[in-house]
Amino acid sequence: MRKRTVTIIDNQSGKSAEFPVRRGSYGAPVIEIGDLYKELGMFTLDPGYGVTGSCRSAITYLDGEHGVLLHRGYPIEQLAEKSTFLEVAYLLIHGELPNQAEMLTWDHAIKMHGMTHEHLNRFYSGYRYDAHPMSVLTGVVGAVASFYHDEMDIYDPQERLITARRIIGKMPNLVSKIYRYQSGLPFVYPDNSRDYVENFMSMMFSWPTEPFEINPVAVRALDLLLILHADHEQNASTSTVRLAGSAESNPFACVAAGIVTLWGKSHGGANEAVIHMLEEIGVPKNIPAFVERAKDKNDPFRLMGFGHRVYKNYDPRATIIRAACHNLLDEMNLNQPLFEIAMELEQLALEDDYFIERKLYPNVDFYSGLIYQALNIPKQMFTPMFALARSAGWIAQWMEMMGDEDFRIGRPRQLYVGAEKRDYVPLAERG
Ligand code: ACO
């Protein structure tokens, strides 16, 4: 059968060129337009990259029309129910689920990289006591780069794997210290007798004078949140990590760049913004007024936790999180008025033509903040929690890119719409 191609015809010059169409395992086929400039002397323009693929990837697949999310082929629903965050991290990085021996080795390796250099602790005290934790996280993760600079060969697959273990191992430690510092509590070293999530909770919440009691319900809930945030294809922060990495930058610095992008409320910052919004709504009777504001084009307000660039159907992670939120609040016997408001708001929006026509559904972060709140994680720490989880995806994507035979620096083009060439006029002669 003849290979599928797309022909682009320039109706002004009359020139045309044929471009190959590539099919992946799933998803829309892509037109490979690398030779476009050579053939027709043109670039493409796609602000926001709505239809532009930036790489080949075998890590995560999502189908926004049907609400499907697969990591290395495994549906998110199955991973959420049966796996752990640490196993999902292994899957993202290695491409396959581990056997028991591999899982033990992985778990051990992550633990062995859980410490940070003692001098790094001083960075925390350089921040104001009320600095936003995402600002601190950007700084301290960037600072880790300085401890692994010249000694790391980013072209050696084994060293890339060690880097991945370091990032996944150190993130709970780095994140927990932000909370400890801001709460005026001493830093807690990792305890390698504990599992990954337990260990994080002990570093966050243990009291220096008391033994730390783990709540298994809380551990499972947090593990679930980490699984659901571990990777999500070529989103803004992941693309940032890849772009920074394409310049052969230090991978810890690349992760710091991803953290900066995640911070924005259009992306990971939405989890914190949702809680602010629910608190502002306050009582159910105020919900309709907020929905009206979200629809008003003269008002910049948007329903936080609603809408997604790719999902034009319910975000499958939101379905899982919504049920988990219900269960957690029941199991912990918590009365969470914000949860009631969230459910009513969701229902009202889903029945509203504005949201129906634009296919705006709750995304993963509509409910995640409510779970973090139930776990006593303060609002400003929500996005760092997201970063902790997403580090696994970021570093898996970085590793994939560094090993890609097509690897080269990312360098988008532009449509220049500025001034035409003109001559400089000395200041004294300008009117
Ligand atoms: N509330 C009200 N209207 C919305 C919302 C919303 N949350 N989201 C999109 N719209 C409207 C837009 O105003 C636009 O309307 P128009 O066609 O009449 O102009 C239409 O829906 C399409 O919106 P775009 O901004 O073009 O969609 P885009 O794909 O660029 O943005 C985004 C996606 C940023 C997620 C957006 O939906 C949004 O701002 N949501 C709220 C923030 C949020 O929850 N972010 C988290 C995303 S998930 C994550 O990163 C974990």
Side-chain angles (χ1 to χ4, degrees), residues 301-424:
F301 173 76
R302 285 184 166 195
L303 276 195
M304 288 293 113
F306 256 77
H308 196 274
R309 169 60 62 79
V310 182
Y311 290 122
K312 302 300 171 198
N313 197 326
Y314 218 93
D315 178 342
R317 302 166 302 170
T319 314
I320 299 168
I321 254 178
R322 188 181 194 269
C325 197
H326 245 304
N327 296 341
L328 181 72
L329 298 179
D330 280 355
E331 281 183 74
M332 293 182 89
N333 215 3
L334 288 175
N335 170 23
Q336 198 18 310
L338 291 187
F339 183 56
E340 303 302 324
I341 296 176
M343 288 207 306
E344 280 200 47
L345 174 61
E346 178 190 8
Q347 195 184 345
L348 199 69
L350 290 178
E351 288 166 358
D352 191 296
D353 284 346
Y354 174 95
F355 292 86
I356 295 170
E357 281 159 19
R358 290 168 181 75
K359 299 189 176 170
L360 298 169
Y361 291 86
N363 59 50
V364 65
D365 282 323
F366 190 66
Y367 285 106
S368 65
L370 293 167
I371 300 190
Y372 290 133
Q373 263 201 336
L375 302 178
N376 286 327
I377 295 173
K379 265 192 303 242
Q380 290 205 333
M381 288 298 294
F382 294 175
T383 317
M385 295 304 303
F386 191 160
L388 193 170
R390 186 56 58 84
S391 303
W394 287 332
I395 206 65
Q397 301 268 352
W398 173 81
M399 287 174 76
E400 184 182 65
M401 178 189 71
M402 295 306 298
D404 191 332
E405 57 187 29
D406 288 343
F407 173 72
R408 61 182 187 151
I409 189 167
R411 192 2 179 136
R413 307 307 299 242
Q414 65 169 10
L415 176 66
Y416 176 69
V417 293
E420 290 181 4
K421 185 175 175 246
R422 48 189 168 163
D423 290 324
Y424 179 84

Side-chain angles (χ1 to χ4, degrees), residues 181-198:
Y181 175 73
Q182 298 195 331
S183 311
L185 288 165
F187 294 156
V188 177
Y189 287 104
D191 171 356
N192 286 352
S193 69
R194 296 185 185 279
D195 288 342
Y196 191 82
V197 174
E198 272 187 37

Side-chain angles (χ1 to χ4, degrees), residues 27-81:
V30 301
I31 309 167
E32 205 169 298
I33 43 99
D35 285 339
L36 183 67
Y37 184 74
K38 200 171 86 192
E39 298 286 343
L40 296 179
M42 291 182 196
F43 300 130
T44 56
L45 181 66
D46 178 22
Y49 311 117
V51 293
T52 299
S54 60
C55 60
R56 287 184 178 80
S57 181
I59 301 176
T60 291
Y61 171 71
L62 72 96
D63 173 347
E65 297 298 326
H66 301 102
V68 173
L69 173 60
L70 310 176
H71 291 317
R72 301 286 191 182
Y74 294 99
I76 191 66
E77 292 80 3
Q78 292 182 25
L79 295 172
E81 189 192 334

Side-chain angles (χ1 to χ4, degrees), residues 136-275:
V136 185
L137 193 61
T138 309
V140 293
V141 173
V144 176
S146 66
F147 294 91
Y148 305 100
H149 183 56
D150 288 337
E151 69 179 63
M152 190 196 307
D153 177 4
I154 53 176
Y155 290 104
D156 178 344
Q158 191 53 31
E159 291 205 22
R160 293 202 288 262
L161 181 57
I162 294 172
T163 301
R165 291 173 181 161
R166 281 187 176 134
I167 285 177
I168 296 167
K170 290 182 201 316
M171 279 303 276
N173 185 337
L174 293 165
V175 169
S176 68
K177 282 195 275 218
I178 303 174
Y179 174 69
R180 302 293 292 195
Y181 175 73
Q182 298 195 331
S183 311
L185 288 165
F187 294 156
V188 177
Y189 287 104
D191 171 356
N192 286 352
S193 69
R194 296 185 185 279
D195 288 342
Y196 191 82
V197 174
E198 272 187 37
N199 198 3
F200 170 71
M201 287 195 146
S202 124
M203 285 190 280
M204 278 282 279
F205 298 121
S206 63
W207 203 249
T209 50
E210 300 291 326
F212 183 62
E213 300 283 336
I214 279 289
N215 175 346
V217 175
V219 170
R220 182 62 200 147
L222 188 51
D223 201 28
L224 176 70
L225 282 186
L226 298 188
I227 293 172
L228 296 179
H229 286 88
D231 192 49
H232 211 228
E233 209 228 49
Q234 307 310 320
N235 54 80
S237 57
T238 302
S239 298
T240 304
V241 172
R242 278 187 178 256
L243 193 57
S246 79
E248 304 179 278
S249 301
N250 179 296
F252 291 95
C254 298
V255 169
I259 290 169
V260 174
T261 310
L262 188 74
W263 189 357
K265 68 179 164 45
S266 292
H267 192 8
N271 54 15
E272 187 185 333
V274 168
I275 298 296

